[in-house]
Amino acid sequence: MKIIALVGSLRRDSFNMQLATTMKDRYKDKLSIEVADLRALPYFDQDEEQNPPQVVKDFKTSIAQADGVLIVTPEYNWSVPGVLKNAIDWTSREDKVFIGKPVMVVGATPGAMGTIRAQLHLRDILSSPGIQAKLLPPASNEVLVNFAAQKFDASTGRLVDESTLNFLDAKVNIFIEFIGEVKSLNV
Ligand SMILES: Cc1cc2nc3c(=O)[nH]c(=O)nc-3n(C[C@H](O)[C@H](O)[C@H](O)COP(=O)(O)O)c2cc1C
């Protein structure tokens, strides 16, 4: 299954990018995860939405062609980072590539709350008319990686906390089932 990952941090040593990379490696037998280059996207400009820059067209195509989307979000000021919101806004106009697309949300923070506030905002965004993603039902499936500084190995840049990895394994399997269910409903 082809998955496009949107990672909301541009920071060199980003925990969220490390989480995405961990998932790409760990689930490579089940999922082909490609991390989108959100740094390359210009700011959303409504004057350009009908004929956006090629990099935006390519980004939208990568979502359209994916079986599902993995959103890996930091929390900035109790919400989603602008870089992620900007990327999502591009997808919500003209060809609305998120509509009906299975989405899994995960997030990591050095803080205690595990990005829950950002993820709650993200749920609203993903339900808006221009997006209408099929979000993996959050009950029991929230992946909130808190105290990230203790759970990632700085030398390898990977998530190493065993109980978090076991939890993630279970949730990824549920997401794979969910993608199958959404596909069967859409055909
Ligand atoms: C502008 C800004 C706002 C932040 N606000 C929050 C916040 O509301 N909640 C939180 O848990 N961490 C917050 N943080 C700390 C981030 O969780 C931390 O910088 C984290 O490492 C960012 O994710 P990354 O490692 O993937 O870059 C904030 C950081 C920045 C730069």
Side-chain angles (χ1 to χ4, degrees):
M1 279 178 180
K2 258 172 76 171
I3 303 293
I4 183 98
L6 313 190
V7 181
S9 173
L10 305 181
R11 194 170 73 88
R12 194 182 314 110
D13 297 323
S14 161
F15 292 119
N16 286 280
M17 185 58 85
Q18 292 180 33
L19 180 54
T21 309
T22 300
M23 293 178 76
K24 183 181 164 89
D25 289 353
R26 189 171 178 90
Y27 306 119
K28 61 177 183 297
D29 294 340
K30 312 175 190 181
L31 298 175
S32 166
I33 299 179
E34 182 205 333
V35 178
D37 181 9
L38 301 194
R39 187 189 287 277
L41 298 178
Y43 289 134
F44 176 76
D45 179 349
Q46 197 178 350
D47 288 334
E48 301 210 23
E49 66 185 10
Q50 287 175 0
N51 189 20
Q54 188 61 41
V55 68
V56 173
K57 288 181 183 164
D58 293 346
F59 172 63
K60 293 179 84 168
T61 301
S62 68
I63 292 181
Q65 292 179 345
D67 296 297
V69 179
L70 171 67
I71 298 184
V72 189
T73 187
E75 180 171 287
Y76 280 3
N77 300 314
W78 291 13
S79 190
V80 295
V83 68
L84 178 60
K85 181 67 163 52
N86 184 57
I88 293 173
D89 287 342
W90 275 119
T91 69
S92 67
R93 306 287 287 182
E94 302 300 315
D95 47 336
K96 297 172 180 161
V97 290
F98 256 108
I99 292 181
K101 194 66 68 178
V103 174
M104 177 179 189
V105 175
V106 303
T109 170
M113 303 299 284
T115 73
I116 185 62
R117 291 180 175 109
Q119 293 197 27
L120 289 171
H121 277 181
L122 189 52
R123 277 182 217 166
D124 282 344
I125 295 164
L126 294 173
S127 306
S128 66
I131 308 291
Q132 297 183 58
K134 290 270 188 262
L135 179 66
L136 178 66
S140 310
N141 294 324
E142 289 167 317
V143 178
L144 305 164
V145 183
N146 63 0
F147 304 124
Q150 283 99 65
K151 294 178 179 171
F152 289 79
D153 178 350
S155 62
T156 59
R158 295 292 186 277
L159 175 67
V160 290
D161 182 73
E162 270 307 314
S163 64
T164 307
L165 286 167
N166 290 338
F167 183 79
L168 198 55
D169 291 348
K171 300 309 154 189
V172 165
N173 284 336
I174 290 172
F175 185 49
I176 291 169
E177 281 173 29
F178 180 70
I179 290 173
E181 285 166 21
V182 171
K183 271 197 173 158
S184 66
L185 289 174
N186 285 345
V187 288

